[in-house]
């Protein structure tokens, strides 16, 4: 039997005058404990046989790197088990831990599994495939999931996954109001929240992001306060907002709605939360931003570097159509290319510095948003596992001031999107 294990690395400094690097692995579950002067990280290795055990003592010097220690440990495990590792496995194996951030009483990961794709418009995704994707991302450290009451079967499928991982998976959902806004009352709000609890198979919703479809109907403050009542009752842990403009966010805050987060489209192509002053105000009021559209359905990736804009045939998903429009509002395709080329140059700097040896444009696009003041997390769509390791790699480095300034200089040339979040 062959299993896929996550090897968690915990690094500490030995105080002895002759420090040693002790690496041991046990499975299942599996851990590697490295006592050295290196920093903490995660090691993902696949295809180790069940019941593998190995311990190894290595002499160490100040020049001993964590890669040296992990490589030696992996080779020892492979030797003891008779396993020959593929050439690429060690390079691909070294991944950082996905950090967490606090939203009020709730701890979430800084990268979040986006489950909008389960709503349709992204090709057929079977329930079993979706559950496998969720598990793979959780195993890689992305334990927070984003869904909504309007995402078709998404909450139901996420709920099945949460039931299988009750101590690890953190489902965050939305309370969306589009129609019959004048008729919404306290009882309806309670019923809908209870139904969401049932679908997600939890007794309390960790985070509910509130959306309101028409500001001309002023009832959004009443509805938000009814959600706050349910928080006090224990049906909701924390309350956020999504896609509100700054004026209405201020109204909610002034009314006493206990917001901890605001989910908005935010990328190098869409800076509305920044240009409107929303990010500054949110920082001042302890409301964390959660960004989506960070890589614009792959437009901000090596896939479109030095190539034409997405063709009609490539606009075959709801997200690609949406973010193609975002790119068009940003400016002419030549400006998008200038942005991609700048990000590619920054990625080369990150690689050459050793901060992230496999850094690419998507990593830079994600990091650019994560390094924005006030941003807690980014949401990445997880239709499959193709970009899982790539997304985790984003947490292995930060941008220098000069690297961020280079991207800022291109972003400053944008023609849109204009104004506030809408």
């Amino acid at each position: 039997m062959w299993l896929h294990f996550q090897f968690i690395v915990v690094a500490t400094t030995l105080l002895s005058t002759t420090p040693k690097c002790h690496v041991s692995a046990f499975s299942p579950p599996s851990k590697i404990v490295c006592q050295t002067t290196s920093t903490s990280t995660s090691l993902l290795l696949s295809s180790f046989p069940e019941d593998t055990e190995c311990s190894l003592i290595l002499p160490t010097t100040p020049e001993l790197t964590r890669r040296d220690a992990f490589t030696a440990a992996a080779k020892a495990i492979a030797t003891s088990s008779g396993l020959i590792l593929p050439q690429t496995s060690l390079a691909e194996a070294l991944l950082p831990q996905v950090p967490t951030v606090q939203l009020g009483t709730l701890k979430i990961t800084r990268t979040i599994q986006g489950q909008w794709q389960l709503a349709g418009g992204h090709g057929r995704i079977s329930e079993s495939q979706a559950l496998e994707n969720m598990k793979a991302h959780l195993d890689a450290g992305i334990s927070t999931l984003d869904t909504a009451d309007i995402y078709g079967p998404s909450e139901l499928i996420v709920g099945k996954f949460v039931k299988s991982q009750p101590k690890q998976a953190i489902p965050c959902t939305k309370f969306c109001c589009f129609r019959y806004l004048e008729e919404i009352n306290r009882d309806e709000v309670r019923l809908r929240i209870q139904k969401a609890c049932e679908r997600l198979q939890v007794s309390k919703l960790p985070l509910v992001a509130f959306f309101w479809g028409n500001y001309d109907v002023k009832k959004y403050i009443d509805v938000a306060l009814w959600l706050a009542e349910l928080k006090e009752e224990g049906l909701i842990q924390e309350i956020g907002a999504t896609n509100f403009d700054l004026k209405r966010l201020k109204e909610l805050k002034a009314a006493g709605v206990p917001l901890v987060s605001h989910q908005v489209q935010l990328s190098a192509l869409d800076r509305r939360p920044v240009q409107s002053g929303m990010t500054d105000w949110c920082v001042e009021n302890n409301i964390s931003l959660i960004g989506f559209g960070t890589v614009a359905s792959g437009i901000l990736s090596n896939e479109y570097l030095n190539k034409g804009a997405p063709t009609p045939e490539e606009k075959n998903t709801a997200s690609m159509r949406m973010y193609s429009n975002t790119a068009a509002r940003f400016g002419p395709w030549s400006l998008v290319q200038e942005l991609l080329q700048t990000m590619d140059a920054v990625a080369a700097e990150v690689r050459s510095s050793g901060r992230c040896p496999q850094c690419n444009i998507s990593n830079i696009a994600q990091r650019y948003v994560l390094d924005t003041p006030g941003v807690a997390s980014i949401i990445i769509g997880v239709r499959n596992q193709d970009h899982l390791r790539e997304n985790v790699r984003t947490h292995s480095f930060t941008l220098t001031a000069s690297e961020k300034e280079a991207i800022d200089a291109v972003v400053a040339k944008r023609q849109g999107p204009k104004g506030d979040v809408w």
Side-chain angles (χ1 to χ4, degrees):
M1 181 177 181
W2 298 81
L3 301 176
H4 182 145
F5 297 120
Q6 184 176 18
F7 289 71
I8 305 297
V9 180
V10 182
T12 58
T13 303
L14 286 179
L15 299 178
S16 65
T17 55
T18 55
K20 300 285 185 181
C21 177
H22 177 212
V23 183
S24 61
F26 305 93
S27 63
S30 304
K31 286 191 176 181
I32 289 181
V33 179
C34 180
Q35 293 180 305
T36 180
T37 56
S38 64
T39 56
S40 298
T41 187
S42 292
L43 177 61
L44 290 179
L45 291 175
S46 60
S47 300
F48 281 102
E50 188 176 15
D51 299 326
T52 297
E53 294 187 12
C54 177
S55 63
L56 178 67
I57 299 293
L58 297 175
T60 189
T61 66
E63 292 76 29
L64 180 67
T65 67
R66 63 189 183 194
R67 182 178 292 272
D68 295 333
F70 303 156
T71 300
K75 287 180 178 178
I77 296 170
T79 301
S80 67
S81 62
L83 176 67
I84 298 177
L85 293 176
Q87 287 280 342
T88 59
S89 62
L90 290 177
E92 293 177 351
L94 291 175
L95 290 173
Q97 286 183 309
V98 179
T100 58
V101 65
Q102 204 75 27
L103 301 182
T105 62
L106 178 66
K107 183 183 291 185
I108 65 171
T109 47
R110 295 206 71 195
T111 294
I112 298 173
Q113 300 185 34
Q115 302 299 334
W116 173 35
Q117 284 77 1
L118 297 180
H122 292 85
R124 184 179 181 277
I125 304 174
S126 68
E127 181 178 303
S128 60
Q129 179 187 0
L131 293 172
E132 289 175 4
N133 291 339
M134 293 175 197
K135 182 61 164 64
H137 283 78
L138 183 143
D139 287 345
I142 305 175
S143 59
T144 309
L145 299 90
D146 175 79
T147 182
D149 55 2
I150 58 168
Y151 289 178
S154 180
E155 280 189 327
L156 288 169
I157 298 173
V158 170
K160 290 183 179 181
F161 180 68
V162 170
K163 185 178 181 180
S164 71
Q165 307 288 333
K167 295 183 179 180
Q168 294 178 282
I170 305 166
C172 301
T173 192
K174 303 177 188 68
F175 184 88
C176 299
C177 302
F178 287 96
R179 300 183 300 169
Y180 311 114
L181 301 181
E182 299 90 345
E183 301 173 15
I184 296 176
N185 58 36
R186 181 183 276 107
D187 290 339
E188 178 185 338
V189 173
R190 174 185 293 277
L191 179 62
R192 287 179 56 185
I193 290 298
Q194 289 172 333
K195 291 294 185 183
C197 286
E198 292 175 10
R199 289 190 293 270
L200 289 168
Q201 304 198 44
V202 294
S203 60
K204 175 191 295 184
L205 298 174
L207 177 66
V208 175
F210 173 44
F211 174 82
W212 191 258
N214 184 354
Y215 296 140
D216 291 335
V217 180
K218 302 296 184 180
K219 208 170 184 177
Y220 49 87
I221 292 179
D222 291 334
V223 174
L225 289 173
W226 292 334
L227 290 172
E229 291 176 0
L230 297 178
K231 178 181 185 295
E232 291 300 314
E233 291 183 25
L235 283 175
I236 297 172
Q237 184 172 346
E238 296 294 350
I239 298 173
T242 181
N243 291 330
F244 274 78
D245 62 16
L246 182 55
K247 177 182 177 181
R248 277 73 184 192
L249 269 185
K250 290 180 176 180
E251 290 178 7
L252 293 174
K253 177 72 174 179
V257 181
L259 298 175
V260 298
S261 65
H262 187 212
Q263 188 178 131
V264 290
Q265 184 176 168
L266 182 57
S267 71
L269 295 174
D270 189 342
R271 305 300 287 170
R272 287 173 295 164
V274 177
Q275 68 197 22
S276 67
M278 180 180 290
T279 54
D280 292 338
W281 183 84
C282 284
V283 169
E284 293 170 1
N285 288 274
N286 201 28
I287 297 173
S288 298
L289 292 175
I290 298 174
F292 63 86
T294 308
V295 297
S297 196
I299 292 175
L300 294 182
S301 75
N302 290 71
E303 181 70 22
Y304 283 94
L305 178 64
N306 298 322
K307 295 181 182 178
T311 64
E313 292 75 20
E314 290 172 327
K315 297 177 185 179
N316 57 1
T317 65
S319 56
M320 179 56 84
R321 291 187 289 272
M322 175 179 175
Y323 296 120
S324 291
N325 290 334
T326 298
R329 289 192 292 266
F330 178 77
W333 187 249
S334 59
L335 183 59
V336 176
Q337 280 300 309
E338 184 179 351
L339 178 61
L340 289 173
Q341 290 160 4
T342 301
M343 287 183 164
D344 187 46
V346 171
E349 291 179 10
V350 172
R351 291 194 301 271
S352 65
S353 70
R355 283 173 286 162
C356 180
Q358 294 174 298
C359 184
N360 60 23
I361 290 173
S362 293
N363 294 133
I364 299 301
Q366 293 177 29
R367 197 69 247 176
Y368 183 67
V369 175
L370 282 166
D371 288 351
T372 301
V375 171
S377 302
I378 57 174
I379 298 172
I380 301 296
V382 294
R383 277 190 295 164
N384 50 49
Q385 300 170 38
D386 293 351
H387 302 287
L388 192 161
R389 293 186 175 190
E390 173 186 301
N391 292 333
V392 174
R393 281 204 309 268
T394 295
H395 298 287
S396 65
F397 70 99
T398 58
L399 297 174
T400 66
S402 62
E403 289 165 351
K404 186 177 183 301
E405 287 168 2
I407 300 170
D408 286 341
V410 181
V411 170
K413 301 177 184 180
R414 68 191 182 281
Q415 298 176 4
K418 297 179 179 180
D420 204 340
V421 171
W422 38 262

